[in-house]
Amino acid sequence: MPVLTRLIPSPVVVDVSRGAMDDLAGLLADQRISASGKLAIAISGGSGVALRAKLEPVLPHADWYAVVDGTIDSAVKLADDIKGRRYDAVVGLGGGKIIDVAKYAAARVGLPMVAVATNLSHDGICSPVSILDNDNGRGSYGVPTPIAMVIDLDVIKEAPVRFIRAGIGDAISNISAIADWELSHKITGEPVDGLAAAMARTAGESVLRHPGGCGDDEFLTVLSEALVLSGIAMSISGDSRPSSGACHEISHAFDLLHPGRSALHGEQVGIGAAFAMHLRGAAEQSGLFVEVLRRHGLPVGPEEIGFSVDEFVAAVEYAPQTRPGRFTILEHLNLSAAEIRDAYADYVKTIRS
């Protein structure tokens, strides 16, 4: 009987440690990603300037490209700028926007991409997707998984703690997303990739159950690994299903209905996940979500991120339109605005009791 296996697209190296960025040149050479050091490095105009000053002496053959914003236009411009320059790889050095732009540009010119994350705000740091703003709002673009993932805990700690908190919200929302996937399997027959689901669920649970806080190296390591595993889970399934359910639909609705007003992605999906758990009747899990969100300083209701109850109700009602064809607890219940309002009132009563 033949033994069947499958290849999993994943980084050839994942380095999560203190001082990891200091050895970036050696890591790329040792892994045969770039022995010459001929790299195109995308940075932001903010924190990227200081990081460039730190890394330029050890990467003398690299060229540096400032990225203005996280738009499709910036990604195309970066691709045009680096095309034909004979680089070994593209490095995205920064937060989610810079990494998404670099992933898209690298894919466009056919180069491997190295992600060097300077904050942990969401699981896009190692996902096969670039989220870029466009003329219609925001789009998801399929790209290869980064060939290497570097997370320097010293650098992570220098970023605003709000970014770490947002990453916590994104990581634990996996549990809600998997519940939606399993619901869809039960109701619609949608197949569930067991390996992708196991990886995403394990990532979420590792953060949900960890007793540490945002300043602890051990906790930051677990959070970093959880976000990386979430990205790999998406690569395994071939879409965002392992990490995106009703929680993300609600977040996308906020982004589309209130451009420029939305909070951090991880803050929104954390609220969405807690509310989705409540809608499922999973009182114990919803309560645990709320407890963990509060312990880490994350919002648990829309008012805490600047939205009224009416705006939250409208966002939840609109949410299924953000992912046509995706089946979650929202599509299953198909609640009216009045029913959503009642459910939210019950959610608030439950979390305050």
Side-chain angles (χ1 to χ4, degrees):
M1 181 177 180
V3 177
L4 302 179
T5 62
R6 60 175 169 174
L7 299 177
I8 299 174
S10 62
V12 297
V13 59
V14 174
D15 186 1
V16 180
S17 62
R18 299 186 64 175
M21 197 177 294
D22 296 336
D23 193 38
L24 180 61
L27 180 147
L28 297 180
D30 290 346
Q31 296 296 326
R32 300 183 181 179
I33 296 170
S34 177
S36 69
K38 187 65 175 172
L39 302 165
I41 304 181
I43 59 171
S44 69
S47 60
V49 176
L51 292 172
R52 174 177 179 174
K54 178 180 179 180
L55 289 175
E56 208 161 15
V58 298
L59 294 169
H61 304 297
D63 293 328
W64 301 78
Y65 296 87
V67 175
V68 176
D69 53 33
T71 63
I72 185 67
D73 291 338
S74 290
V76 171
K77 182 181 185 302
L78 177 61
D80 290 342
D81 289 344
I82 65 180
K83 185 165 50 181
R85 299 290 295 274
R86 298 185 179 277
Y87 292 115
D88 297 328
V90 177
V91 178
L93 174 59
K97 289 183 179 179
I98 301 301
I99 289 176
D100 279 349
V101 165
K103 283 193 289 187
Y104 183 91
R108 193 175 175 97
V109 298
L111 287 172
M113 185 271 178
V114 177
V116 183
T118 58
N119 69 61
L120 301 177
S121 62
H122 61 77
D123 59 19
I125 56 177
C126 195
S127 73
V129 178
S130 284
I131 307 296
L132 301 169
D133 293 332
N134 56 38
D135 292 339
N136 293 319
R138 184 165 293 171
S140 299
Y141 303 87
V143 294
T145 301
I147 196 171
M149 184 76 240
V150 177
I151 300 175
D152 188 326
L153 297 181
D154 291 330
V155 174
I156 296 302
K157 288 182 177 180
E158 293 174 2
V161 70
R162 186 183 179 192
F163 290 125
I164 297 173
R165 291 169 176 159
I168 294 168
D170 205 15
I172 67 174
S173 76
N174 285 4
I175 301 165
S176 177
I178 296 301
D180 280 324
W181 202 2
E182 291 172 340
L183 175 67
S184 181
H185 175 69
K186 179 180 178 181
I187 302 299
T188 73
E190 178 186 357
V192 172
D193 188 308
L195 179 58
M199 193 171 288
R201 193 196 322 267
T202 299
E205 290 283 355
S206 69
V207 175
L208 186 71
R209 309 283 177 179
H210 199 286
C214 295
D216 304 336
D217 281 359
E218 182 184 347
F219 178 77
L220 291 178
T221 299
V222 169
L223 176 59
S224 299
E225 292 171 347
L227 297 176
V228 170
L229 287 175
S230 296
I232 296 173
M234 288 186 258
S235 294
I236 292 171
S237 68
D239 58 19
S240 62
R241 195 49 151 142
S243 301
S244 176
C247 46
H248 281 61
E249 289 182 335
I250 293 171
S251 178
H252 295 320
F254 275 129
D255 295 338
L256 291 170
L257 295 176
H258 306 286
R261 277 187 59 199
S262 53
L264 292 178
H265 172 78
E267 294 172 333
Q268 294 179 169
V269 300
I271 295 171
F275 183 63
M277 284 297 186
H278 178 78
L279 290 179
R280 293 185 189 95
E284 184 176 342
Q285 280 191 299
S286 178
L288 179 58
F289 268 48
V290 169
E291 176 188 335
V292 171
L293 292 172
R294 281 177 169 160
R295 179 164 63 83
H296 289 295
L298 280 153
V300 298
E303 303 93 334
E304 297 173 57
I305 55 173
F307 291 102
S308 67
V309 173
D310 287 343
E311 288 170 329
F312 179 72
V313 170
V316 174
E317 186 178 27
Y318 182 81
Q321 298 180 53
T322 67
R323 286 289 182 271
R326 182 154 294 184
F327 190 88
T328 75
I329 189 64
L330 298 181
E331 287 79 5
H332 179 57
L333 296 178
N334 192 26
L335 301 174
S336 66
E339 290 170 326
I340 295 169
R341 188 180 302 277
D342 288 343
Y344 179 69
D346 187 55
Y347 167 76
V348 171
K349 181 180 178 181
T350 300
I351 65 177
R352 287 178 179 172
S353 61

